Amino acid sequence: MGRIFYMMGKSASGKDSIFQMLTSDRELNLKTVTMYTTRPRRDGEQDGKEYFFRDEAFRIRMEQEGKIIECRTYETVCGPWSYFTLDDGQIETDQFSYLMIGTLESFENTKNYFEKKGWNVLVPIYICVEDGERLLRAVKREQLQTVPNYAEVCRRFLADEKDFSEDRMRRCGIGKAFENRDLKTCAQAVKKMIIGELCP
């Protein structure tokens, strides 16, 4: 059976960049799972690439049909935004291994979902960056938007402290962290771990 390597980290930790580096690595040959969100598209994002962008009515319908693996809803300064993973046929662990990306909460819920099926397939990958550097990165990224939303940057920064609390990390069995001081070095360390899991 394949594995699901689940990457997570606080906002602006570089997890998206590392995710892209690893999913484009032909040696690893990891499949991806596109998540869904009700938030608006950012400049440059494409439907079906970063996320499937859907409305709240779609999310509710999927919940009623029992197709949601995990879902998180955040009260933002722009209103509630939901992020969710669907049991929509994208995941086939009997044939492939995957690299997914999300939050600690989504990792915990996805892990529980598969364990209920008797599949112990999730491997956590936690990316971390010193808080001051992370905040600077988040502000610089937001400056590139047509209409920067600095209030949302601050909300996410503060919410991360609660979302990635030490108690929660322990409960999810996450002990190892990959420090992202340099993207390439961090990505190589993660790659080495993945190869070790796939070829013990």
Side-chain angles (χ1 to χ4, degrees):
M1 180 170 285
R3 311 301 295 274
I4 298 175
F5 298 96
Y6 207 99
M7 183 172 293
M8 66 204 98
K10 297 176 181 177
S11 58
S13 61
K15 60 186 181 294
D16 294 289
S17 297
I18 294 170
F19 178 86
Q20 290 169 6
M21 292 168 74
L22 295 175
T23 53
S24 63
D25 190 318
R26 291 187 178 182
E27 184 182 358
L28 294 175
N29 194 30
L30 296 171
K31 304 295 183 185
T32 60
V33 177
T34 303
M35 299 173 69
Y36 292 73
T37 184
T38 61
R39 77 156 169 77
R41 268 186 274 188
R42 292 176 182 154
D43 295 342
E45 289 183 328
Q46 298 176 31
D47 185 47
K49 187 177 179 183
E50 291 83 6
Y51 294 96
F52 290 113
F53 295 91
R54 299 293 184 266
D55 60 16
E56 179 64 9
F58 174 85
R59 187 198 68 78
I60 291 171
R61 188 166 72 252
M62 293 299 99
E63 185 174 31
Q64 291 170 343
E65 293 178 14
K67 293 184 178 179
I68 292 183
I69 294 173
E70 60 82 29
C71 178
R72 301 139 277 141
T73 300
Y74 302 100
E75 291 298 331
T76 76
V77 294
C78 300
W81 291 348
S82 294
Y83 297 80
F84 50 102
T85 307
L86 288 186
D87 192 350
D88 60 357
Q90 290 187 72
I91 303 173
E92 298 177 284
T93 54
D94 57 332
Q95 298 184 47
F96 306 107
S97 286
Y98 295 82
L99 182 62
M100 294 178 66
I101 189 168
T103 65
L104 186 60
E105 179 184 0
S106 66
F107 166 77
E108 185 175 20
N109 291 335
T110 303
K111 184 173 182 282
N112 291 339
Y113 178 87
F114 284 106
E115 285 181 349
K116 285 178 183 176
K117 293 188 168 198
W119 301 348
N120 185 20
V121 295
L122 259 71
V123 179
I125 301 172
Y126 176 59
I127 308 296
C128 67
V129 172
E130 187 273 326
D131 279 346
E133 175 62 25
R134 192 167 60 81
L135 183 56
L136 288 173
R137 291 181 187 182
V139 170
K140 287 178 182 177
R141 182 176 67 185
E142 195 64 25
Q143 286 173 333
L144 300 176
Q145 297 298 307
T146 303
V147 182
N149 187 342
Y150 298 112
E152 176 59 16
V153 169
C154 293
R155 184 204 67 79
R156 290 182 67 188
F157 183 83
L158 295 173
D160 280 337
E161 296 306 305
K162 180 180 178 182
D163 293 343
F164 287 89
S165 68
E166 288 185 14
D167 286 345
R168 206 165 187 186
M169 295 276 282
R170 278 194 300 269
R171 189 177 73 219
C172 291
I174 300 171
K176 180 176 174 57
F178 293 88
E179 190 170 359
N180 181 17
R181 293 182 181 177
D182 173 77
L183 269 177
K184 288 184 179 179
T185 303
C186 187
Q188 282 299 314
V190 175
K191 177 179 177 177
K192 184 178 179 181
M193 182 275 288
I194 289 173
I195 290 174
E197 288 283 341
L198 294 176
C199 307

